[in-house]
Amino acid sequence: MSLIGSLFTGVSGLSSNSAAMEIIGDNLANVNTIGFKSRKAVFSDILSTILTNGETTSQLGRGSQLQGTLQIFTQGSFEASANALDLAIDGSGFFVVNNGTGNFYTRNGQFRLNDDGLVQAITGEILQGQNITTGTVSTTVSDVDLAGVQSAPQATNTFTLGANLDASSTAATTFNSPIAIFNSVGTQLILGI
């Protein structure tokens, strides 16, 4: 092996590791990105074959190269959200979204309603799904449309309260004090117990 060949072999290894570091950097940069799935570098050998009179006489290693990347689809953790349209997939699968020209697949479940009542991804694509009418699932896939879909309101008639009582108080002072409870929209409810 010549000096130039030896240097090429070393440089190919540095180049391969540089590409692997870029993949690791991308994984770290996107660690908190919704729906992100990390990748893993896959390497392969570079071999040089010398032919003499149609026969292989030697095969020398010429270094390494980045063969490609593998997408890792292991299940991530779920997080709480205040948006009712933030969705997550447990297990394998993708959300299907459409941008008007074709379908795309994503694990990012951050959705919102657009002005037409369609469920839309943050990037503008419309979520696709199958309609269910009286328990029958449609065979066609269409835009998820929530325009005009509203459930009838139902008054709350019971609730559960967990509280710590002051051990030094008497029953008369503890149970004659009003309790203030705030609901999710900040309205204060006073209960006289």
Side-chain angles (χ1 to χ4, degrees):
M1 183 182 277
S2 68
L3 179 61
I4 294 175
S6 298
L7 290 174
F8 176 79
T9 301
V11 168
S12 73
L14 290 172
S15 178
S16 296
N17 278 304
S18 174
M21 291 300 288
E22 288 177 19
I23 293 167
I24 292 169
D26 182 58
N27 289 342
L28 290 173
N30 287 291
V31 72
N32 285 325
T33 303
I34 302 297
F36 177 75
K37 295 300 178 186
S38 62
R39 294 180 300 148
K40 175 180 148 183
V42 178
F43 300 99
S44 65
D45 295 331
I46 300 175
L47 298 173
S48 173
T49 302
I50 300 171
L51 295 174
T52 306
N53 296 330
E55 295 181 10
T56 304
T57 58
S58 64
Q59 192 170 23
L60 303 174
R62 300 292 285 176
S64 66
Q65 65 182 354
L66 180 67
Q67 184 69 31
T69 60
L70 292 176
Q71 196 82 31
I72 301 172
F73 285 103
T74 56
Q75 179 65 48
S77 61
F78 295 115
E79 294 184 19
S81 171
N83 181 7
L85 291 177
D86 282 349
L87 306 173
I89 296 174
D90 186 11
S92 60
F94 292 91
F95 294 109
V96 179
V97 293
N98 188 295
N99 69 350
T101 60
N103 288 339
F104 297 91
Y105 303 93
T106 181
R107 298 269 303 181
N108 186 342
Q110 290 181 311
F111 296 105
R112 62 180 178 205
L113 282 180
N114 67 10
D115 293 337
D116 298 324
L118 300 175
V119 179
Q120 181 181 36
I122 298 298
T123 51
E125 298 88 4
I126 305 299
L127 181 65
Q128 302 295 293
Q130 294 171 290
N131 286 328
I132 300 175
T133 307
T134 61
T136 304
V137 180
S138 170
T139 58
T140 60
V141 176
S142 61
D143 296 343
V144 176
D145 187 355
L146 298 181
V149 176
Q150 196 172 25
S151 60
Q154 183 178 0
T156 303
N157 54 17
T158 62
F159 72 94
T160 302
L161 173 68
N164 288 329
L165 301 176
D166 186 356
S168 63
S169 295
T170 64
T173 59
T174 300
F175 293 109
N176 289 329
S177 301
I179 298 173
I181 300 173
F182 293 89
N183 66 12
S184 62
V185 292
T187 305
Q188 182 178 8
L189 307 170
I190 304 294
L191 302 176
I193 298 178

